[in-house]
Each structure stands twice: as structure tokens, then as C-alpha cells.
PDB file of all heavy atoms in Angstrom:
ATOM      1  N   THR N  26    -132.285 173.892  -4.291  1.00 98.00           N
ATOM      2  CA  THR N  26    -132.290 175.279  -3.686  1.00 98.00           C
ATOM      3  C   THR N  26    -131.505 176.172  -4.723  1.00 98.00           C
ATOM      4  O   THR N  26    -130.417 175.840  -5.134  1.00 98.00           O
ATOM      5  CB  THR N  26    -131.687 175.279  -2.349  1.00 98.00           C
ATOM      6  OG1 THR N  26    -132.432 174.472  -1.471  1.00 98.00           O
ATOM      7  CG2 THR N  26    -131.555 176.722  -1.844  1.00 98.00           C
ATOM      8  N   ILE N  27    -132.107 177.256  -5.052  1.00 98.00           N
ATOM      9  CA  ILE N  27    -131.446 178.246  -5.940  1.00 98.00           C
ATOM     10  C   ILE N  27    -131.564 179.630  -5.310  1.00 98.00           C
ATOM     11  O   ILE N  27    -132.624 180.018  -4.824  1.00 98.00           O
ATOM     12  CB  ILE N  27    -132.145 178.278  -7.343  1.00 98.00           C
ATOM     13  CG1 ILE N  27    -132.079 176.973  -8.047  1.00 98.00           C
ATOM     14  CG2 ILE N  27    -131.496 179.416  -8.169  1.00 98.00           C
ATOM     15  CD1 ILE N  27    -132.780 176.955  -9.405  1.00 98.00           C
ATOM     16  N   PHE N  28    -130.488 180.397  -5.308  1.00 98.00           N
ATOM     17  CA  PHE N  28    -130.476 181.779  -4.874  1.00 98.00           C
ATOM     18  C   PHE N  28    -130.446 182.665  -6.113  1.00 98.00           C
ATOM     19  O   PHE N  28    -129.594 182.496  -7.027  1.00 98.00           O
ATOM     20  CB  PHE N  28    -129.250 182.047  -3.956  1.00 98.00           C
ATOM     21  CG  PHE N  28    -129.243 181.187  -2.748  1.00 98.00           C
ATOM     22  CD1 PHE N  28    -128.586 179.937  -2.777  1.00 98.00           C
ATOM     23  CD2 PHE N  28    -129.864 181.567  -1.582  1.00 98.00           C
ATOM     24  CE1 PHE N  28    -128.534 179.127  -1.682  1.00 98.00           C
ATOM     25  CE2 PHE N  28    -129.797 180.740  -0.455  1.00 98.00           C
ATOM     26  CZ  PHE N  28    -129.172 179.508  -0.512  1.00 98.00           C
ATOM     27  N   GLY N  29    -131.285 183.607  -6.182  1.00 98.00           N
ATOM     28  CA  GLY N  29    -131.300 184.440  -7.404  1.00 98.00           C
ATOM     29  C   GLY N  29    -132.006 185.716  -7.378  1.00 98.00           C
ATOM     30  O   GLY N  29    -132.560 186.161  -6.385  1.00 98.00           O
ATOM     31  N   TYR N  30    -131.967 186.443  -8.540  1.00 98.00           N
ATOM     32  CA  TYR N  30    -132.672 187.744  -8.704  1.00 98.00           C
ATOM     33  C   TYR N  30    -133.030 187.788 -10.187  1.00 98.00           C
ATOM     34  O   TYR N  30    -132.232 187.724 -11.057  1.00 98.00           O
ATOM     35  CB  TYR N  30    -131.654 188.829  -8.353  1.00 98.00           C
ATOM     36  CG  TYR N  30    -132.278 190.127  -8.030  1.00 98.00           C
ATOM     37  CD1 TYR N  30    -132.501 190.467  -6.686  1.00 98.00           C
ATOM     38  CD2 TYR N  30    -132.583 191.063  -9.023  1.00 98.00           C
ATOM     39  CE1 TYR N  30    -133.141 191.733  -6.401  1.00 98.00           C
ATOM     40  CE2 TYR N  30    -133.199 192.316  -8.726  1.00 98.00           C
ATOM     41  CZ  TYR N  30    -133.459 192.637  -7.381  1.00 98.00           C
ATOM     42  OH  TYR N  30    -134.003 193.846  -7.084  1.00 98.00           O
ATOM     43  N   PRO N  31    -134.337 188.034 -10.441  1.00 98.00           N
ATOM     44  CA  PRO N  31    -134.830 188.019 -11.816  1.00 98.00           C
ATOM     45  C   PRO N  31    -134.509 189.225 -12.655  1.00 98.00           C
ATOM     46  O   PRO N  31    -134.136 190.312 -12.067  1.00 98.00           O
ATOM     47  CB  PRO N  31    -136.335 187.862 -11.624  1.00 98.00           C
ATOM     48  CG  PRO N  31    -136.640 188.530 -10.330  1.00 98.00           C
ATOM     49  CD  PRO N  31    -135.472 188.264  -9.497  1.00 98.00           C
ATOM     50  N   GLY N  32    -134.641 189.120 -13.920  1.00 98.00           N
ATOM     51  CA  GLY N  32    -134.436 190.245 -14.886  1.00 98.00           C
ATOM     52  C   GLY N  32    -134.915 189.745 -16.259  1.00 98.00           C
ATOM     53  O   GLY N  32    -135.254 188.576 -16.436  1.00 98.00           O
ATOM     54  N   GLY N  33    -134.882 190.657 -17.213  1.00 97.00           N
ATOM     55  CA  GLY N  33    -135.486 190.400 -18.485  1.00 97.00           C
ATOM     56  C   GLY N  33    -134.992 189.151 -19.174  1.00 97.00           C
ATOM     57  O   GLY N  33    -135.784 188.378 -19.698  1.00 97.00           O
ATOM     58  N   ALA N  34    -133.670 188.907 -19.200  1.00 98.00           N
ATOM     59  CA  ALA N  34    -133.132 187.815 -19.930  1.00 98.00           C
ATOM     60  C   ALA N  34    -133.436 186.443 -19.348  1.00 98.00           C
ATOM     61  O   ALA N  34    -133.259 185.434 -20.011  1.00 98.00           O
ATOM     62  CB  ALA N  34    -131.575 187.958 -20.087  1.00 98.00           C
ATOM     63  N   VAL N  35    -133.864 186.371 -18.061  1.00 98.00           N
ATOM     64  CA  VAL N  35    -134.091 185.109 -17.425  1.00 98.00           C
ATOM     65  C   VAL N  35    -135.625 184.961 -17.105  1.00 98.00           C
ATOM     66  O   VAL N  35    -135.952 184.044 -16.383  1.00 98.00           O
ATOM     67  CB  VAL N  35    -133.302 184.940 -16.138  1.00 98.00           C
ATOM     68  CG1 VAL N  35    -131.807 184.668 -16.420  1.00 98.00           C
ATOM     69  CG2 VAL N  35    -133.441 186.115 -15.187  1.00 98.00           C
ATOM     70  N   LEU N  36    -136.442 185.795 -17.708  1.00 98.00           N
ATOM     71  CA  LEU N  36    -137.894 185.638 -17.517  1.00 98.00           C
ATOM     72  C   LEU N  36    -138.434 184.245 -17.898  1.00 98.00           C
ATOM     73  O   LEU N  36    -139.248 183.707 -17.169  1.00 98.00           O
ATOM     74  CB  LEU N  36    -138.673 186.772 -18.173  1.00 98.00           C
ATOM     75  CG  LEU N  36    -138.549 188.122 -17.544  1.00 98.00           C
ATOM     76  CD1 LEU N  36    -139.312 189.145 -18.374  1.00 98.00           C
ATOM     77  CD2 LEU N  36    -139.100 188.092 -16.097  1.00 98.00           C
ATOM     78  N   PRO N  37    -137.962 183.646 -18.960  1.00 98.00           N
ATOM     79  CA  PRO N  37    -138.445 182.259 -19.254  1.00 98.00           C
ATOM     80  C   PRO N  37    -138.128 181.268 -18.170  1.00 98.00           C
ATOM     81  O   PRO N  37    -138.954 180.413 -17.831  1.00 98.00           O
ATOM     82  CB  PRO N  37    -137.781 181.953 -20.572  1.00 98.00           C
ATOM     83  CG  PRO N  37    -137.437 183.201 -21.268  1.00 98.00           C
ATOM     84  CD  PRO N  37    -137.117 184.154 -20.081  1.00 98.00           C
ATOM     85  N   LEU N  38    -136.939 181.464 -17.586  1.00 98.00           N
ATOM     86  CA  LEU N  38    -136.529 180.526 -16.506  1.00 98.00           C
ATOM     87  C   LEU N  38    -137.351 180.800 -15.260  1.00 98.00           C
ATOM     88  O   LEU N  38    -137.751 179.831 -14.544  1.00 98.00           O
ATOM     89  CB  LEU N  38    -135.019 180.686 -16.262  1.00 98.00           C
ATOM     90  CG  LEU N  38    -134.369 179.594 -15.420  1.00 98.00           C
ATOM     91  CD1 LEU N  38    -134.695 178.212 -15.802  1.00 98.00           C
ATOM     92  CD2 LEU N  38    -132.833 179.792 -15.485  1.00 98.00           C
ATOM     93  N   TYR N  39    -137.614 182.052 -14.959  1.00 98.00           N
ATOM     94  CA  TYR N  39    -138.402 182.374 -13.752  1.00 98.00           C
ATOM     95  C   TYR N  39    -139.846 181.945 -13.938  1.00 98.00           C
ATOM     96  O   TYR N  39    -140.526 181.521 -12.964  1.00 98.00           O
ATOM     97  CB  TYR N  39    -138.275 183.855 -13.393  1.00 98.00           C
ATOM     98  CG  TYR N  39    -137.088 184.077 -12.507  1.00 98.00           C
ATOM     99  CD1 TYR N  39    -135.858 184.376 -12.944  1.00 98.00           C
ATOM    100  CD2 TYR N  39    -137.256 183.973 -11.062  1.00 98.00           C
ATOM    101  CE1 TYR N  39    -134.763 184.532 -12.129  1.00 98.00           C
ATOM    102  CE2 TYR N  39    -136.160 184.087 -10.236  1.00 98.00           C
ATOM    103  CZ  TYR N  39    -134.912 184.428 -10.764  1.00 98.00           C
ATOM    104  OH  TYR N  39    -133.816 184.559  -9.924  1.00 98.00           O
ATOM    105  N   ASP N  40    -140.346 181.999 -15.147  1.00 98.00           N
ATOM    106  CA  ASP N  40    -141.693 181.554 -15.363  1.00 98.00           C
ATOM    107  C   ASP N  40    -141.750 180.017 -15.145  1.00 98.00           C
ATOM    108  O   ASP N  40    -142.770 179.496 -14.562  1.00 98.00           O
ATOM    109  CB  ASP N  40    -142.073 181.822 -16.838  1.00 98.00           C
ATOM    110  CG  ASP N  40    -143.607 181.637 -17.038  1.00 98.00           C
ATOM    111  OD1 ASP N  40    -144.432 182.161 -16.279  1.00 98.00           O
ATOM    112  OD2 ASP N  40    -143.937 180.818 -17.948  1.00 98.00           O
ATOM    113  N   ALA N  41    -140.686 179.289 -15.536  1.00 98.00           N
ATOM    114  CA  ALA N  41    -140.604 177.863 -15.263  1.00 98.00           C
ATOM    115  C   ALA N  41    -140.552 177.570 -13.835  1.00 98.00           C
ATOM    116  O   ALA N  41    -141.170 176.587 -13.282  1.00 98.00           O
ATOM    117  CB  ALA N  41    -139.496 177.272 -16.033  1.00 98.00           C
ATOM    118  N   ILE N  42    -139.734 178.393 -13.067  1.00 98.00           N
ATOM    119  CA  ILE N  42    -139.626 178.172 -11.599  1.00 98.00           C
ATOM    120  C   ILE N  42    -140.989 178.298 -10.958  1.00 98.00           C
ATOM    121  O   ILE N  42    -141.367 177.601 -10.040  1.00 98.00           O
ATOM    122  CB  ILE N  42    -138.587 179.213 -11.000  1.00 98.00           C
ATOM    123  CG1 ILE N  42    -137.152 178.751 -11.445  1.00 98.00           C
ATOM    124  CG2 ILE N  42    -138.689 179.279  -9.529  1.00 98.00           C
ATOM    125  CD1 ILE N  42    -136.101 179.800 -11.124  1.00 98.00           C
ATOM    126  N   TYR N  43    -141.730 179.299 -11.410  1.00 96.00           N
ATOM    127  CA  TYR N  43    -143.105 179.601 -10.823  1.00 96.00           C
ATOM    128  C   TYR N  43    -143.997 178.370 -10.904  1.00 96.00           C
ATOM    129  O   TYR N  43    -144.860 178.135 -10.023  1.00 96.00           O
ATOM    130  CB  TYR N  43    -143.704 180.717 -11.608  1.00 96.00           C
ATOM    131  CG  TYR N  43    -145.075 181.202 -11.085  1.00 96.00           C
ATOM    132  CD1 TYR N  43    -145.097 182.134  -9.971  1.00 96.00           C
ATOM    133  CD2 TYR N  43    -146.226 180.836 -11.669  1.00 96.00           C
ATOM    134  CE1 TYR N  43    -146.321 182.552  -9.542  1.00 96.00           C
ATOM    135  CE2 TYR N  43    -147.462 181.243 -11.116  1.00 96.00           C
ATOM    136  CZ  TYR N  43    -147.496 182.106 -10.112  1.00 96.00           C
ATOM    137  OH  TYR N  43    -148.699 182.590  -9.621  1.00 96.00           O
ATOM    138  N   GLN N  44    -143.801 177.540 -11.958  1.00 94.00           N
ATOM    139  CA  GLN N  44    -144.644 176.431 -12.154  1.00 94.00           C
ATOM    140  C   GLN N  44    -143.948 175.060 -11.723  1.00 94.00           C
ATOM    141  O   GLN N  44    -144.612 174.000 -11.942  1.00 94.00           O
ATOM    142  CB  GLN N  44    -144.947 176.279 -13.641  1.00 94.00           C
ATOM    143  CG  GLN N  44    -145.667 177.549 -14.161  1.00 94.00           C
ATOM    144  CD  GLN N  44    -145.882 177.473 -15.706  1.00 94.00           C
ATOM    145  OE1 GLN N  44    -146.656 176.658 -16.153  1.00 94.00           O
ATOM    146  NE2 GLN N  44    -145.121 178.330 -16.449  1.00 94.00           N
ATOM    147  N   HIS N  45    -142.793 175.130 -11.123  1.00 95.00           N
ATOM    148  CA  HIS N  45    -142.060 173.913 -10.754  1.00 95.00           C
ATOM    149  C   HIS N  45    -142.096 173.674  -9.226  1.00 95.00           C
ATOM    150  O   HIS N  45    -141.576 174.513  -8.484  1.00 95.00           O
ATOM    151  CB  HIS N  45    -140.579 174.001 -11.217  1.00 95.00           C
ATOM    152  CG  HIS N  45    -139.933 172.681 -11.455  1.00 95.00           C
ATOM    153  ND1 HIS N  45    -139.748 171.736 -10.457  1.00 95.00           N
ATOM    154  CD2 HIS N  45    -139.506 172.074 -12.615  1.00 95.00           C
ATOM    155  CE1 HIS N  45    -139.150 170.724 -10.979  1.00 95.00           C
ATOM    156  NE2 HIS N  45    -139.032 170.863 -12.251  1.00 95.00           N
ATOM    157  N   ASP N  46    -142.742 172.607  -8.764  1.00 93.00           N
ATOM    158  CA  ASP N  46    -142.957 172.388  -7.350  1.00 93.00           C
ATOM    159  C   ASP N  46    -141.689 172.010  -6.605  1.00 93.00           C
ATOM    160  O   ASP N  46    -141.645 172.148  -5.363  1.00 93.00           O
ATOM    161  CB  ASP N  46    -144.041 171.378  -7.147  1.00 93.00           C
ATOM    162  CG  ASP N  46    -145.399 171.769  -7.678  1.00 93.00           C
ATOM    163  OD1 ASP N  46    -145.632 172.968  -7.669  1.00 93.00           O
ATOM    164  OD2 ASP N  46    -146.228 170.926  -8.051  1.00 93.00           O
ATOM    165  N   ASP N  47    -140.717 171.472  -7.289  1.00 96.00           N
ATOM    166  CA  ASP N  47    -139.543 170.907  -6.578  1.00 96.00           C
ATOM    167  C   ASP N  47    -138.386 171.891  -6.472  1.00 96.00           C
ATOM    168  O   ASP N  47    -137.324 171.477  -5.925  1.00 96.00           O
ATOM    169  CB  ASP N  47    -139.063 169.643  -7.288  1.00 96.00           C
ATOM    170  CG  ASP N  47    -140.075 168.524  -7.224  1.00 96.00           C
ATOM    171  OD1 ASP N  47    -140.777 168.449  -6.163  1.00 96.00           O
ATOM    172  OD2 ASP N  47    -140.237 167.751  -8.165  1.00 96.00           O
ATOM    173  N   ILE N  48    -138.496 173.064  -6.971  1.00 97.00           N
ATOM    174  CA  ILE N  48    -137.433 174.047  -6.880  1.00 97.00           C
ATOM    175  C   ILE N  48    -137.727 175.099  -5.787  1.00 97.00           C
ATOM    176  O   ILE N  48    -138.818 175.690  -5.761  1.00 97.00           O
ATOM    177  CB  ILE N  48    -137.159 174.731  -8.238  1.00 97.00           C
ATOM    178  CG1 ILE N  48    -136.689 173.803  -9.252  1.00 97.00           C
ATOM    179  CG2 ILE N  48    -136.192 175.947  -8.044  1.00 97.00           C
ATOM    180  CD1 ILE N  48    -135.277 173.251  -8.984  1.00 97.00           C
ATOM    181  N   HIS N  49    -136.786 175.275  -4.850  1.00 97.00           N
ATOM    182  CA  HIS N  49    -136.949 176.286  -3.809  1.00 97.00           C
ATOM    183  C   HIS N  49    -136.068 177.412  -4.164  1.00 97.00           C
ATOM    184  O   HIS N  49    -134.828 177.324  -3.997  1.00 97.00           O
ATOM    185  CB  HIS N  49    -136.546 175.645  -2.449  1.00 97.00           C
ATOM    186  CG  HIS N  49    -136.691 176.517  -1.305  1.00 97.00           C
ATOM    187  ND1 HIS N  49    -135.899 176.443  -0.116  1.00 97.00           N
ATOM    188  CD2 HIS N  49    -137.630 177.503  -1.057  1.00 97.00           C
ATOM    189  CE1 HIS N  49    -136.280 177.314   0.704  1.00 97.00           C
ATOM    190  NE2 HIS N  49    -137.309 177.989   0.210  1.00 97.00           N
ATOM    191  N   HIS N  50    -136.639 178.548  -4.531  1.00 98.00           N
ATOM    192  CA  HIS N  50    -135.960 179.729  -5.005  1.00 98.00           C
ATOM    193  C   HIS N  50    -135.882 180.754  -3.804  1.00 98.00           C
ATOM    194  O   HIS N  50    -136.926 181.047  -3.241  1.00 98.00           O
ATOM    195  CB  HIS N  50    -136.564 180.349  -6.199  1.00 98.00           C
ATOM    196  CG  HIS N  50    -135.829 181.553  -6.711  1.00 98.00           C
ATOM    197  ND1 HIS N  50    -136.011 182.821  -6.194  1.00 98.00           N
ATOM    198  CD2 HIS N  50    -134.859 181.685  -7.643  1.00 98.00           C
ATOM    199  CE1 HIS N  50    -135.271 183.678  -6.782  1.00 98.00           C
ATOM    200  NE2 HIS N  50    -134.515 183.046  -7.710  1.00 98.00           N
ATOM    201  N   ILE N  51    -134.713 181.262  -3.516  1.00 98.00           N
ATOM    202  CA  ILE N  51    -134.554 182.286  -2.505  1.00 98.00           C
ATOM    203  C   ILE N  51    -134.284 183.553  -3.211  1.00 98.00           C
ATOM    204  O   ILE N  51    -133.336 183.758  -3.922  1.00 98.00           O
ATOM    205  CB  ILE N  51    -133.418 182.015  -1.516  1.00 98.00           C
ATOM    206  CG1 ILE N  51    -133.493 180.517  -0.980  1.00 98.00           C
ATOM    207  CG2 ILE N  51    -133.358 183.029  -0.419  1.00 98.00           C
ATOM    208  CD1 ILE N  51    -134.746 180.273  -0.130  1.00 98.00           C
ATOM    209  N   LEU N  52    -135.204 184.600  -2.995  1.00 98.00           N
ATOM    210  CA  LEU N  52    -135.043 185.905  -3.638  1.00 98.00           C
ATOM    211  C   LEU N  52    -134.042 186.768  -2.875  1.00 98.00           C
ATOM    212  O   LEU N  52    -134.394 187.286  -1.856  1.00 98.00           O
ATOM    213  CB  LEU N  52    -136.422 186.573  -3.773  1.00 98.00           C
ATOM    214  CG  LEU N  52    -136.408 187.993  -4.398  1.00 98.00           C
ATOM    215  CD1 LEU N  52    -135.836 187.958  -5.846  1.00 98.00           C
ATOM    216  CD2 LEU N  52    -137.802 188.585  -4.352  1.00 98.00           C
ATOM    217  N   ALA N  53    -132.925 186.893  -3.427  1.00 98.00           N
ATOM    218  CA  ALA N  53    -131.905 187.831  -2.814  1.00 98.00           C
ATOM    219  C   ALA N  53    -132.292 189.261  -3.048  1.00 98.00           C
ATOM    220  O   ALA N  53    -133.287 189.546  -3.773  1.00 98.00           O
ATOM    221  CB  ALA N  53    -130.512 187.567  -3.459  1.00 98.00           C
ATOM    222  N   ARG N  54    -131.552 190.193  -2.485  1.00 98.00           N
ATOM    223  CA  ARG N  54    -131.877 191.588  -2.717  1.00 98.00           C
ATOM    224  C   ARG N  54    -130.769 192.257  -3.551  1.00 98.00           C
ATOM    225  O   ARG N  54    -130.857 193.446  -3.835  1.00 98.00           O
ATOM    226  CB  ARG N  54    -132.030 192.357  -1.360  1.00 98.00           C
ATOM    227  CG  ARG N  54    -133.161 191.815  -0.542  1.00 98.00           C
ATOM    228  CD  ARG N  54    -134.490 191.918  -1.249  1.00 98.00           C
ATOM    229  NE  ARG N  54    -135.663 191.609  -0.457  1.00 98.00           N
ATOM    230  CZ  ARG N  54    -136.262 190.465  -0.324  1.00 98.00           C
ATOM    231  NH1 ARG N  54    -135.755 189.403  -1.040  1.00 98.00           N
ATOM    232  NH2 ARG N  54    -137.270 190.253   0.462  1.00 98.00           N
ATOM    233  N   HIS N  55    -129.818 191.501  -3.960  1.00 98.00           N
ATOM    234  CA  HIS N  55    -128.701 192.010  -4.785  1.00 98.00           C
ATOM    235  C   HIS N  55    -128.050 190.767  -5.366  1.00 98.00           C
ATOM    236  O   HIS N  55    -127.883 189.744  -4.671  1.00 98.00           O
ATOM    237  CB  HIS N  55    -127.705 192.871  -4.074  1.00 98.00           C
ATOM    238  CG  HIS N  55    -126.749 193.540  -4.886  1.00 98.00           C
ATOM    239  ND1 HIS N  55    -125.611 192.936  -5.400  1.00 98.00           N
ATOM    240  CD2 HIS N  55    -126.628 194.846  -5.392  1.00 98.00           C
ATOM    241  CE1 HIS N  55    -124.881 193.778  -6.122  1.00 98.00           C
ATOM    242  NE2 HIS N  55    -125.511 194.983  -6.107  1.00 98.00           N
ATOM    243  N   GLU N  56    -127.511 190.841  -6.627  1.00 98.00           N
ATOM    244  CA  GLU N  56    -126.884 189.645  -7.200  1.00 98.00           C
ATOM    245  C   GLU N  56    -125.633 189.219  -6.375  1.00 98.00           C
ATOM    246  O   GLU N  56    -125.396 187.990  -6.302  1.00 98.00           O
ATOM    247  CB  GLU N  56    -126.575 189.932  -8.642  1.00 98.00           C
ATOM    248  CG  GLU N  56    -127.747 190.032  -9.623  1.00 98.00           C
ATOM    249  CD  GLU N  56    -128.319 191.426  -9.705  1.00 98.00           C
ATOM    250  OE1 GLU N  56    -127.810 192.334  -9.018  1.00 98.00           O
ATOM    251  OE2 GLU N  56    -129.215 191.573 -10.565  1.00 98.00           O
ATOM    252  N   GLN N  57    -124.913 190.142  -5.904  1.00 98.00           N
ATOM    253  CA  GLN N  57    -123.704 189.770  -5.121  1.00 98.00           C
ATOM    254  C   GLN N  57    -124.243 188.951  -3.886  1.00 98.00           C
ATOM    255  O   GLN N  57    -123.544 187.958  -3.462  1.00 98.00           O
ATOM    256  CB  GLN N  57    -122.906 190.986  -4.626  1.00 98.00           C
ATOM    257  CG  GLN N  57    -121.636 190.552  -3.852  1.00 98.00           C
ATOM    258  CD  GLN N  57    -120.786 191.741  -3.464  1.00 98.00           C
ATOM    259  OE1 GLN N  57    -120.962 192.835  -3.900  1.00 98.00           O
ATOM    260  NE2 GLN N  57    -119.922 191.510  -2.528  1.00 98.00           N
ATOM    261  N   GLY N  58    -125.333 189.431  -3.293  1.00 98.00           N
ATOM    262  CA  GLY N  58    -125.906 188.658  -2.142  1.00 98.00           C
ATOM    263  C   GLY N  58    -126.289 187.243  -2.530  1.00 98.00           C
ATOM    264  O   GLY N  58    -126.040 186.325  -1.757  1.00 98.00           O
ATOM    265  N   ALA N  59    -126.866 187.057  -3.695  1.00 98.00           N
ATOM    266  CA  ALA N  59    -127.283 185.721  -4.144  1.00 98.00           C
ATOM    267  C   ALA N  59    -125.975 184.792  -4.255  1.00 98.00           C
ATOM    268  O   ALA N  59    -126.100 183.635  -3.854  1.00 98.00           O
ATOM    269  CB  ALA N  59    -127.938 185.805  -5.496  1.00 98.00           C
ATOM    270  N   LEU N  60    -124.945 185.352  -4.738  1.00 98.00           N
ATOM    271  CA  LEU N  60    -123.738 184.551  -4.817  1.00 98.00           C
ATOM    272  C   LEU N  60    -123.118 184.131  -3.524  1.00 98.00           C
ATOM    273  O   LEU N  60    -122.750 182.994  -3.289  1.00 98.00           O
ATOM    274  CB  LEU N  60    -122.649 185.295  -5.691  1.00 98.00           C
ATOM    275  CG  LEU N  60    -122.666 185.013  -7.219  1.00 98.00           C
ATOM    276  CD1 LEU N  60    -122.189 183.597  -7.558  1.00 98.00           C
ATOM    277  CD2 LEU N  60    -123.984 185.275  -7.856  1.00 98.00           C
ATOM    278  N   HIS N  61    -123.035 185.085  -2.595  1.00 98.00           N
ATOM    279  CA  HIS N  61    -122.545 184.759  -1.264  1.00 98.00           C
ATOM    280  C   HIS N  61    -123.519 183.817  -0.474  1.00 98.00           C
ATOM    281  O   HIS N  61    -123.039 183.027   0.327  1.00 98.00           O
ATOM    282  CB  HIS N  61    -122.295 186.039  -0.482  1.00 98.00           C
ATOM    283  CG  HIS N  61    -121.241 186.952  -1.019  1.00 98.00           C
ATOM    284  ND1 HIS N  61    -120.105 186.452  -1.668  1.00 98.00           N
ATOM    285  CD2 HIS N  61    -121.096 188.258  -1.056  1.00 98.00           C
ATOM    286  CE1 HIS N  61    -119.327 187.417  -2.005  1.00 98.00           C
ATOM    287  NE2 HIS N  61    -119.897 188.545  -1.692  1.00 98.00           N
ATOM    288  N   GLU N  62    -124.838 183.990  -0.721  1.00 98.00           N
ATOM    289  CA  GLU N  62    -125.757 183.039  -0.116  1.00 98.00           C
ATOM    290  C   GLU N  62    -125.512 181.641  -0.652  1.00 98.00           C
ATOM    291  O   GLU N  62    -125.468 180.644   0.117  1.00 98.00           O
ATOM    292  CB  GLU N  62    -127.134 183.462  -0.401  1.00 98.00           C
ATOM    293  CG  GLU N  62    -127.634 184.635   0.445  1.00 98.00           C
ATOM    294  CD  GLU N  62    -128.609 185.565  -0.195  1.00 98.00           C
ATOM    295  OE1 GLU N  62    -129.236 185.207  -1.174  1.00 98.00           O
ATOM    296  OE2 GLU N  62    -128.721 186.733   0.346  1.00 98.00           O
ATOM    297  N   ALA N  63    -125.231 181.445  -1.935  1.00 98.00           N
ATOM    298  CA  ALA N  63    -124.878 180.180  -2.486  1.00 98.00           C
ATOM    299  C   ALA N  63    -123.556 179.662  -1.885  1.00 98.00           C
ATOM    300  O   ALA N  63    -123.430 178.417  -1.638  1.00 98.00           O
ATOM    301  CB  ALA N  63    -124.812 180.259  -4.016  1.00 98.00           C
ATOM    302  N   GLU N  64    -122.670 180.587  -1.661  1.00 98.00           N
ATOM    303  CA  GLU N  64    -121.359 180.193  -1.009  1.00 98.00           C
ATOM    304  C   GLU N  64    -121.569 179.669   0.380  1.00 98.00           C
ATOM    305  O   GLU N  64    -121.034 178.625   0.831  1.00 98.00           O
ATOM    306  CB  GLU N  64    -120.434 181.327  -0.990  1.00 98.00           C
ATOM    307  CG  GLU N  64    -119.743 181.680  -2.305  1.00 98.00           C
ATOM    308  CD  GLU N  64    -118.598 182.633  -2.076  1.00 98.00           C
ATOM    309  OE1 GLU N  64    -118.925 183.905  -2.096  1.00 98.00           O
ATOM    310  OE2 GLU N  64    -117.437 182.253  -1.882  1.00 98.00           O
ATOM    311  N   GLY N  65    -122.371 180.365   1.172  1.00 98.00           N
ATOM    312  CA  GLY N  65    -122.645 179.983   2.533  1.00 98.00           C
ATOM    313  C   GLY N  65    -123.272 178.591   2.590  1.00 98.00           C
ATOM    314  O   GLY N  65    -123.001 177.765   3.385  1.00 98.00           O
ATOM    315  N   PHE N  66    -124.241 178.366   1.674  1.00 98.00           N
ATOM    316  CA  PHE N  66    -124.904 177.092   1.518  1.00 98.00           C
ATOM    317  C   PHE N  66    -123.893 176.019   1.257  1.00 98.00           C
ATOM    318  O   PHE N  66    -123.870 174.952   1.871  1.00 98.00           O
ATOM    319  CB  PHE N  66    -125.943 177.187   0.404  1.00 98.00           C
ATOM    320  CG  PHE N  66    -126.779 175.936   0.204  1.00 98.00           C
ATOM    321  CD1 PHE N  66    -128.009 175.843   0.731  1.00 98.00           C
ATOM    322  CD2 PHE N  66    -126.300 174.891  -0.556  1.00 98.00           C
ATOM    323  CE1 PHE N  66    -128.809 174.694   0.568  1.00 98.00           C
ATOM    324  CE2 PHE N  66    -127.087 173.703  -0.769  1.00 98.00           C
ATOM    325  CZ  PHE N  66    -128.356 173.633  -0.217  1.00 98.00           C
ATOM    326  N   ALA N  67    -122.989 176.257   0.297  1.00 98.00           N
ATOM    327  CA  ALA N  67    -122.026 175.256  -0.149  1.00 98.00           C
ATOM    328  C   ALA N  67    -120.971 175.011   0.971  1.00 98.00           C
ATOM    329  O   ALA N  67    -120.572 173.873   1.219  1.00 98.00           O
ATOM    330  CB  ALA N  67    -121.379 175.615  -1.446  1.00 98.00           C
TER     331      ALA N  67
END
């Protein structure tokens, strides 16, 4: 499980996520949100 938000510098990684069946990506609506979501998970 990964919480995240895409942008230009991570496009290669997001392209790999698109093709990876074992990664569950949660699209946050703000990067601070992604970090707190990861905190709640942990």
C-alpha cells in the first residue's frame, strides 16, 4: 500500500505502478494528506 500524488519527476515510477499488479496506490488530494494517511495506516 502506497499513498501518493503524481507529478513530473515521478512519472517513471507512476508508469511502473500502472503496470504492477501487487501495488495498491491510494490517490490523495494533497501531499500533506498522503503523509497523514500513511501515518494513520502505520
Side-chain angles (χ1 to χ4, degrees):
T26 301
I27 298 175
F28 301 90
Y30 200 94
V35 287
L36 285 178
L38 192 47
Y39 271 90
D40 191 55
I42 288 171
Y43 185 83
Q44 302 175 69
H45 206 294
D46 294 334
D47 294 325
I48 293 294
H49 183 209
H50 181 276
I51 309 299
L52 178 60
R54 297 304 188 265
H55 188 280
E56 289 90 355
Q57 182 179 344
L60 268 291
H61 294 325
E62 282 149 17
E64 282 190 275
F66 184 96

